[in-house]
């Protein structure tokens, strides 16, 4: 793509967002060069699409970005992960979203996640390999396409 895609594995969300804050601090002023951040933090059930929030954007800017992402997400129709809605981001990318970076969240069916979330039962055997592959595919398509766009989402 025309821009760099950086994959970050955050840690310590539950104890003060130290990972997200440390990333923001590490990036410093270069945060203005981030065209988007995508977070996957809702377990790995079947992906359904993405939510988007552009901090401080006017409604026309948000609407244009949602329509643009809808075109990208159409590539994910075969796995039913093509829904694009307003309202995205997440705790870990919150520190850079507060700096104006558009935030996306991978959305899933989410039907069973809170049955084991933050419990001793939160183990890999709960992850359906097919759903995991679909989530990775959805994230890869969205990240590549956003990185390869000529215009920023917040333009």
């Amino acid at each position: 793509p025309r821009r760099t895609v950086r994959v970050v594995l955050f840690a310590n969300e539950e104890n003060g967002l130290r990972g997200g804050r440390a990333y923001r601090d590490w990036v410093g002023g270069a945060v203005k060069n981030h065209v988007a951040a995508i977070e996957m933090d809702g377990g790995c059930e079947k992906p359904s699409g993405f939510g988007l929030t552009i901090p401080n954007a006017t409604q026309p800017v948000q609407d244009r970005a949602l329509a643009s992402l809808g075109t990208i997400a159409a590539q994910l129709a075969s796995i039913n992960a093509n829904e694009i809605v307003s309202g995205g981001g997440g705790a870990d990318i919150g520190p850079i979203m507060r700096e104006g970076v558009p935030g996306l969240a991978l959305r899933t069916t989410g039907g069973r996640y809170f049955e084991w979330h933050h419990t001793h039962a939160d183990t890999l055997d709960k992850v359906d390999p097919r759903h995991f592959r679909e989530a990775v595919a959805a994230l890869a398509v969205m990240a590549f396409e956003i990185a390869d766009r000529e215009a920023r989402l917040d333009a």
Side-chain angles (χ1 to χ4, degrees):
R2 49 180 102 214
R3 295 180 184 88
T4 299
V5 173
R6 181 177 292 148
V7 176
V8 180
L9 303 176
F10 291 101
N12 214 319
E13 173 191 339
E14 286 76 11
N15 295 301
L17 290 172
R18 289 186 188 109
R21 289 192 349 241
Y23 180 78
R24 182 207 55 218
D25 294 346
W26 175 76
V27 166
V31 73
K32 70 184 181 315
N33 297 326
H34 285 57
V35 296
I38 306 173
E39 184 163 322
M40 178 185 172
D41 191 27
C44 193
E45 294 183 61
K46 174 127 185 60
S48 60
F50 292 86
L52 169 70
T53 296
I54 302 177
N56 306 312
T58 63
Q59 195 60 53
V61 169
Q62 181 82 11
D63 291 344
R64 278 194 306 272
L66 287 168
S68 177
L69 292 181
T71 302
I72 295 169
Q75 299 174 64
L76 303 170
S78 65
I79 60 170
N80 295 315
N82 56 320
E83 179 183 42
I84 300 295
V85 299
S86 188
D92 288 311
I93 62 175
I96 63 172
M97 287 182 67
R98 284 188 281 286
E99 301 289 331
V101 176
L104 291 91
L106 178 69
R107 298 171 54 85
T108 69
T109 54
R112 304 206 54 211
Y113 182 60
F114 286 102
E115 292 177 22
W116 48 74
H117 177 65
H118 287 225
T119 71
H120 291 292
D122 194 352
T123 54
L124 281 175
D125 62 305
K126 308 303 184 302
V127 176
D128 179 317
R130 180 180 178 143
H131 294 168
F132 181 73
R133 287 190 303 272
E134 290 173 350
V136 169
L139 289 161
V141 165
M142 190 59 68
F144 180 90
E145 292 290 344
I146 290 172
D148 200 43
R149 290 171 45 94
E150 189 169 324
R152 294 173 58 101
L153 289 172
D154 54 0

